């Protein structure tokens, strides 16, 4: 890392700014509908995000993890090794003690633990026609055995028009309506608490011009234990997709579910 790059990266996080922001917005975060969240525009240094955008790999440039099932059609990075220098340094900063203290003060969640493996997170990219149906997230980190508590999303889409779509939506607990629709414009950050009832996603197919994609950074944060009221059932679960009114989702059943259904059918017969 050269001196020029190092001098720019020193200004990623301003502890005083973070502390003041958390104090001023913690109450609004807790009271936000349909679940605790905050939307922050131009929160991070634009120069840093410019550099990240410049080194963001194209859809055919790396070995992306490809999701092509009925409820999701998107690309996600597999490893931090696939990321450029600016991206890695920035994500490390967002896993730092300085930023964790900010998250705890903002959200009221004590004992937040970052994920050094970026499981499910890192770089996300959605091509034209792609989407991510409404869902609640997986609730446990299988490697760290921790409870997932927070999502942080940073969008990297300059000159993004409303008719391109790609809105991030937040839905009510009963899945009756979308209560927030957020355009994924450059340097817009969304932080929200994740529970079994924090339904969210990018459900409509992307309609941006050919050659453009919806780019974002994603980080997830954990704790050792969580309030029981945040769970719909005991035990670990993967992503819980939810159909919108009038929508039919064709969810692929896991081998375990198929066996259970088969045995249940045998017993009933």
């Amino acid at each position: 890392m050269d001196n020029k790059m190092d001098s720019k990266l020193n200004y990623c996080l301003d502890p005083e700014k973070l502390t003041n922001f958390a104090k001023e917005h913690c109450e609004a975060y807790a009271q936000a509908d349909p679940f605790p969240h905050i939307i922050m525009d131009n929160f991070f240094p634009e120069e840093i995000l410019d550099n990240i955008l410049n080194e963001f790999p194209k859809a055919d440039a790396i070995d992306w993890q490809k999701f092509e099932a009925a409820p999701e059609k998107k690309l996600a990075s597999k490893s931090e090794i696939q990321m450029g220098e600016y991206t890695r340094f920035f994500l490390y900063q967002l896993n730092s003690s300085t930023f964790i203290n900010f998250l705890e003060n903002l959200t009221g969640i004590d004992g937040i633990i970052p994920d050094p493996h970026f499981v499910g997170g890192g770089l996300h990219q959605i091509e034209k026609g792609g989407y991510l149906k409404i869902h609640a997230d997986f609730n446990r980190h299988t490697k760290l055995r921790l409870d997932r508590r927070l999502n942080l999303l940073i969008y990297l889409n300059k000159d993004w028009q409303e008719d391109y779509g790609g809105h991030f939506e937040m839905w009510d607990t009963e899945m009756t309506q979308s209560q927030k629709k957020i355009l994924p414009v450059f340097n817009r950050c969304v932080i929200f608490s994740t529970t079994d009832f924090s339904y969210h996603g990018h459900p409509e197919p992307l309609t941006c011009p050919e050659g453009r994609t919806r780019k974002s950074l994603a980080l997830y944060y954990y704790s050792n234990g969580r309030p029981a009221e945040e769970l719909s059932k005991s035990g670990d679960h993967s992503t819980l997709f939810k159909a919108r009114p009038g929508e039919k989702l064709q969810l692929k059943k896991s081998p375990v579910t198929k066996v259970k259904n088969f045995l249940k059918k045998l017993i009933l017969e």
Side-chain angles (χ1 to χ4, degrees), residues 106-119:
L106 175 67
T107 67
I109 300 174
D110 291 325
I112 291 177
I113 302 169
D115 175 18
H117 308 288
F118 303 111
V119 171

Side-chain angles (χ1 to χ4, degrees), residues 84-152:
E85 283 187 297
Y86 281 102
T87 305
R88 290 200 306 273
F89 184 89
F90 183 61
L91 295 187
Y92 297 159
Q93 289 286 292
L94 299 185
N95 275 354
S96 69
S97 175
T98 297
F99 199 72
I100 295 303
N101 287 336
F102 161 70
L103 291 175
E104 290 182 338
N105 292 330
L106 175 67
T107 67
I109 300 174
D110 291 325
I112 291 177
I113 302 169
D115 175 18
H117 308 288
F118 303 111
V119 171
L123 309 178
H124 287 175
Q125 186 163 202
I126 296 181
E127 299 176 278
K128 184 176 182 179
Y131 52 82
L132 176 60
K133 295 297 184 179
I134 301 301
H135 64 282
D137 293 308
F138 67 83
N139 65 344
R140 292 273 289 176
H141 194 298
T142 55
K143 184 178 180 67
L144 301 180
R145 297 183 178 87
L146 296 171
D147 298 275
R148 182 168 172 179
R149 304 298 301 282
L150 288 175
N151 283 13
L152 182 150

Side-chain angles (χ1 to χ4, degrees), residues 23-259:
K23 288 180 179 178
E24 292 172 5
H25 294 87
C26 59
E27 186 174 345
Y29 180 93
Q31 296 178 356
D33 287 324
F35 42 81
H37 73 272
I38 192 167
I39 303 165
M40 308 182 303
D41 285 339
N42 303 312
F43 188 72
F44 296 107
E46 183 173 339
E47 185 178 23
I48 297 298
L49 296 188
D50 276 336
N51 287 320
I52 292 172
L53 180 58
N54 288 336
E55 67 184 18
F56 201 99
K58 296 184 183 300
D60 59 354
I62 64 172
D63 181 23
W64 293 90
Q65 183 177 6
K66 296 182 180 180
F67 296 86
E68 297 180 314
E72 54 187 336
K73 185 178 180 183
K74 66 175 188 176
L75 303 174
S77 57
K78 296 180 179 179
S79 166
E80 64 187 80
I81 303 302
Q82 297 174 311
M83 306 172 191
E85 283 187 297
Y86 281 102
T87 305
R88 290 200 306 273
F89 184 89
F90 183 61
L91 295 187
Y92 297 159
Q93 289 286 292
L94 299 185
N95 275 354
S96 69
S97 175
T98 297
F99 199 72
I100 295 303
N101 287 336
F102 161 70
L103 291 175
E104 290 182 338
N105 292 330
L106 175 67
T107 67
I109 300 174
D110 291 325
I112 291 177
I113 302 169
D115 175 18
H117 308 288
F118 303 111
V119 171
L123 309 178
H124 287 175
Q125 186 163 202
I126 296 181
E127 299 176 278
K128 184 176 182 179
Y131 52 82
L132 176 60
K133 295 297 184 179
I134 301 301
H135 64 282
D137 293 308
F138 67 83
N139 65 344
R140 292 273 289 176
H141 194 298
T142 55
K143 184 178 180 67
L144 301 180
R145 297 183 178 87
L146 296 171
D147 298 275
R148 182 168 172 179
R149 304 298 301 282
L150 288 175
N151 283 13
L152 182 150
L153 307 173
I154 302 172
Y155 297 108
L156 300 172
N157 307 297
K158 288 196 171 185
D159 304 316
W160 194 262
Q161 305 300 313
E162 190 82 26
D163 60 2
Y164 292 177
H167 296 80
F168 174 76
E169 298 189 19
M170 298 182 180
W171 280 65
D172 64 302
T173 303
E174 292 76 27
M175 282 297 299
T176 59
Q177 62 179 338
S178 172
Q179 294 194 341
K180 285 277 178 70
K181 295 182 73 172
I182 302 161
L183 197 66
V185 299
F186 185 78
N187 206 353
R188 174 166 288 170
C189 175
V190 182
I191 300 173
F192 63 97
S193 298
T194 57
T195 71
D196 284 0
F197 313 102
S198 55
Y199 300 129
H200 62 279
H202 153 32
E204 292 296 330
L206 197 61
T207 56
C208 61
E210 292 291 346
R212 296 209 63 171
T213 60
R214 180 185 187 271
K215 302 176 179 67
S216 60
L217 303 176
L219 291 97
Y220 309 140
Y221 300 90
Y222 299 80
S223 67
N224 185 7
R226 74 184 312 149
E229 61 267 21
E230 295 184 359
L231 300 172
S232 61
K233 57 183 179 180
S234 61
D236 303 354
H237 64 71
S238 58
T239 304
L240 303 174
F241 286 100
K242 290 286 184 176
R244 295 174 292 170
E247 181 179 53
K248 291 184 178 181
L249 290 180
Q250 296 180 341
L251 302 179
K252 184 177 180 181
K253 296 180 180 179
S254 69
V256 174
T257 302
K258 289 180 179 179
V259 171

